[in-house]
Short mmCIF file of all heavy atoms in Angstrom, two decimals:
data_model
loop_
_atom_site.label_atom_id
_atom_site.label_comp_id
_atom_site.label_asym_id
_atom_site.label_seq_id
_atom_site.Cartn_x
_atom_site.Cartn_y
_atom_site.Cartn_z
N SER K 307 19.10 3.09 19.24
CA SER K 307 18.23 3.77 18.27
C SER K 307 16.77 3.42 18.54
O SER K 307 15.89 4.28 18.50
CB SER K 307 18.56 3.36 16.84
OG SER K 307 19.93 3.23 16.67
N ARG K 308 16.56 2.13 18.79
CA ARG K 308 15.18 1.70 19.09
C ARG K 308 14.66 2.42 20.34
O ARG K 308 13.52 2.89 20.38
CB ARG K 308 15.13 0.19 19.31
CG ARG K 308 15.17 -0.61 18.03
CD ARG K 308 14.73 -2.04 18.28
NE ARG K 308 15.72 -2.77 19.07
CZ ARG K 308 16.66 -3.54 18.56
NH1 ARG K 308 16.75 -3.69 17.26
NH2 ARG K 308 17.50 -4.18 19.33
N PHE K 309 15.54 2.50 21.36
CA PHE K 309 15.14 3.17 22.60
C PHE K 309 14.74 4.62 22.32
O PHE K 309 13.71 5.11 22.82
CB PHE K 309 16.29 3.10 23.62
CG PHE K 309 16.10 3.98 24.82
CD1 PHE K 309 15.09 3.73 25.73
CD2 PHE K 309 16.93 5.08 25.03
CE1 PHE K 309 14.91 4.54 26.84
CE2 PHE K 309 16.76 5.90 26.13
CZ PHE K 309 15.74 5.63 27.03
N GLY K 310 15.54 5.30 21.51
CA GLY K 310 15.26 6.70 21.19
C GLY K 310 13.93 6.86 20.47
O GLY K 310 13.11 7.72 20.82
N ILE K 311 13.71 5.99 19.48
CA ILE K 311 12.46 6.08 18.70
C ILE K 311 11.25 5.76 19.58
O ILE K 311 10.22 6.44 19.54
CB ILE K 311 12.53 5.13 17.49
CG1 ILE K 311 13.50 5.72 16.46
CG2 ILE K 311 11.17 4.91 16.85
CD1 ILE K 311 13.89 4.80 15.36
N PHE K 312 11.38 4.73 20.40
CA PHE K 312 10.25 4.33 21.26
C PHE K 312 9.94 5.42 22.31
O PHE K 312 8.78 5.68 22.62
CB PHE K 312 10.56 3.01 21.96
CG PHE K 312 10.52 1.81 21.04
CD1 PHE K 312 11.20 0.65 21.35
CD2 PHE K 312 9.77 1.85 19.87
CE1 PHE K 312 11.15 -0.44 20.50
CE2 PHE K 312 9.72 0.76 19.02
CZ PHE K 312 10.42 -0.39 19.33
N THR K 313 11.00 6.02 22.85
CA THR K 313 10.77 7.08 23.85
C THR K 313 10.08 8.27 23.19
O THR K 313 9.13 8.84 23.76
CB THR K 313 12.11 7.53 24.46
OG1 THR K 313 12.78 6.37 24.98
CG2 THR K 313 11.90 8.51 25.60
N ALA K 314 10.53 8.62 21.98
CA ALA K 314 9.89 9.73 21.26
C ALA K 314 8.43 9.38 20.96
O ALA K 314 7.53 10.22 21.09
CB ALA K 314 10.64 10.01 19.97
N ALA K 315 8.20 8.11 20.59
CA ALA K 315 6.82 7.67 20.29
C ALA K 315 5.95 7.76 21.54
O ALA K 315 4.79 8.16 21.47
CB ALA K 315 6.83 6.24 19.76
N ALA K 316 6.53 7.39 22.69
CA ALA K 316 5.77 7.47 23.95
C ALA K 316 5.41 8.92 24.25
O ALA K 316 4.31 9.21 24.72
CB ALA K 316 6.58 6.88 25.10
N LEU K 317 6.34 9.83 23.95
CA LEU K 317 6.05 11.26 24.15
C LEU K 317 4.93 11.73 23.22
O LEU K 317 4.08 12.53 23.62
CB LEU K 317 7.32 12.09 23.92
CG LEU K 317 8.36 12.01 25.05
CD1 LEU K 317 9.65 12.69 24.63
CD2 LEU K 317 7.83 12.64 26.34
N VAL K 318 4.94 11.21 21.98
CA VAL K 318 3.86 11.55 21.04
C VAL K 318 2.53 11.09 21.61
O VAL K 318 1.53 11.82 21.60
CB VAL K 318 4.11 10.87 19.66
CG1 VAL K 318 2.88 10.96 18.78
CG2 VAL K 318 5.29 11.51 18.96
N GLN K 319 2.52 9.87 22.16
CA GLN K 319 1.26 9.32 22.71
C GLN K 319 0.78 10.16 23.89
O GLN K 319 -0.39 10.51 23.97
CB GLN K 319 1.50 7.86 23.13
CG GLN K 319 0.21 7.13 23.49
CD GLN K 319 0.19 6.65 24.93
OE1 GLN K 319 0.85 7.22 25.79
NE2 GLN K 319 -0.60 5.63 25.19
N ILE K 320 1.70 10.49 24.80
CA ILE K 320 1.30 11.27 25.98
C ILE K 320 0.82 12.66 25.56
O ILE K 320 -0.16 13.19 26.09
CB ILE K 320 2.47 11.35 26.99
CG1 ILE K 320 2.81 9.96 27.52
CG2 ILE K 320 2.10 12.26 28.17
CD1 ILE K 320 4.11 9.87 28.30
N GLY K 321 1.52 13.24 24.58
CA GLY K 321 1.12 14.56 24.09
C GLY K 321 -0.28 14.52 23.49
O GLY K 321 -1.13 15.39 23.77
N THR K 322 -0.54 13.49 22.68
CA THR K 322 -1.88 13.35 22.07
C THR K 322 -2.94 13.17 23.15
O THR K 322 -4.01 13.77 23.10
CB THR K 322 -1.90 12.13 21.13
OG1 THR K 322 -0.74 12.17 20.31
CG2 THR K 322 -3.13 12.13 20.27
N LEU K 323 -2.61 12.32 24.14
CA LEU K 323 -3.57 12.07 25.23
C LEU K 323 -3.88 13.35 26.00
O LEU K 323 -5.04 13.64 26.32
CB LEU K 323 -2.98 11.05 26.22
CG LEU K 323 -3.11 9.58 25.86
CD1 LEU K 323 -2.41 8.73 26.89
CD2 LEU K 323 -4.58 9.18 25.77
N THR K 324 -2.83 14.13 26.27
CA THR K 324 -3.01 15.37 27.02
C THR K 324 -3.93 16.32 26.25
O THR K 324 -4.85 16.91 26.82
CB THR K 324 -1.64 16.05 27.26
OG1 THR K 324 -0.76 15.09 27.82
CG2 THR K 324 -1.76 17.23 28.20
#
Side-chain angles (χ1 to χ4, degrees):
Chain K
S307 321
R308 282 196 291 264
F309 169 66
I311 288 169
F312 287 157
T313 305
L317 286 172
V318 168
Q319 190 241 26
I320 296 168
T322 314
L323 278 177
T324 309

